[in-house]
Amino acid sequence: GGAALFLGCRPGDRGAEDFLEATGFAFHSSVWDLQLPGEVPVAEPALPHGYRARPFRRGTDLAGWIAAFNEAFTGHPTPLSLDATSYAQWIEEAGTRDEDTILVEDEAGVLAAFASTEPQYRTDGSVGGLAEIWALGVRPGLQGRGLGRAALRLGIARLRSIGVQTVTLSVSGRNSRAVALYE
């Protein structure tokens, strides 16, 4: 199959909508860009019994995390997937820190869920006041157990612990379970 191309515009931007329609694009879905201001309290993360959270370790977790990511997003309204080689290069270039991704695993160490955050680190090591949770996922078959809620709260807690004031994330309007979780 061919590669999909997704373009977007703000609702009501008639010029952009007309251009996209004239070039053959059709409406697919809305994306919600959400912000959680620092003054809004968030409950402490509570993991379901038998699960624990820990930071990502790129030396040992990369392949398993990518597999979990790809499984979690298989049925996503806008299919997403990561390639191990490309992602490994990106995390080195982006200067991301392992602790910016939180993994939730069961007692046997099997990865169940994750929250990947993207703080903007300054050269002095401090962070900007705005940061994103860019990926949050739960493996299929494990959804509905509170793992997504726990992973979301773990991601927020991580960002707030390093000084981020406003947490953002984007979600497809067609992903009703995720929209309900974020609301």
Side-chain angles (χ1 to χ4, degrees):
L5 178 62
F6 297 96
L7 297 175
C9 66
R10 293 185 185 277
D13 183 341
R14 199 64 242 157
E17 290 171 0
D18 289 346
F19 170 77
L20 290 171
E21 289 170 9
T23 55
F25 286 91
F27 177 79
H28 177 267
S29 64
S30 296
V31 173
W32 295 26
D33 291 323
L34 306 173
Q35 288 190 350
L36 178 67
E39 65 272 6
V40 175
V42 174
E44 290 294 317
L47 290 165
H49 179 72
Y51 291 93
R52 63 181 173 244
R54 66 172 178 82
F56 171 79
R57 295 182 297 253
R58 74 183 71 195
T60 57
D61 292 331
L62 185 61
W65 181 77
I66 288 174
F69 180 97
N70 289 341
E71 286 177 33
F73 286 97
T74 297
H76 193 269
T78 305
L80 302 169
S81 67
L82 294 177
D83 167 80
T85 304
S86 298
Y87 187 74
Q89 291 171 343
W90 179 82
I91 61 174
E92 293 302 326
E93 291 173 8
T96 59
R97 299 179 182 176
D98 287 2
E99 57 271 17
D100 292 333
T101 293
I102 299 98
L103 305 181
V104 176
E105 59 188 14
D106 67 16
E107 293 170 335
V110 176
L111 181 58
F114 57 86
S116 294
T117 67
E118 195 170 28
Q120 302 301 308
Y121 291 102
R122 297 182 183 118
T123 55
D124 67 0
S126 66
V127 295
L130 182 80
E132 179 179 25
I133 295 177
W134 73 267
L136 182 102
V138 178
R139 278 198 144 126
L142 298 176
Q143 297 169 349
R145 300 179 185 198
L147 294 166
R149 181 174 318 286
L152 175 62
R153 290 176 178 167
L154 287 162
I156 294 167
R158 164 67 186 155
L159 292 172
R160 287 185 170 173
S161 76
I162 60 172
V164 172
Q165 295 300 308
T166 302
V167 177
T168 67
L169 60 81
S170 296
V171 60
S172 170
R174 296 174 83 183
N175 190 346
S176 58
R177 289 182 75 166
V179 170
L181 171 65
Y182 302 147
E183 288 181 325

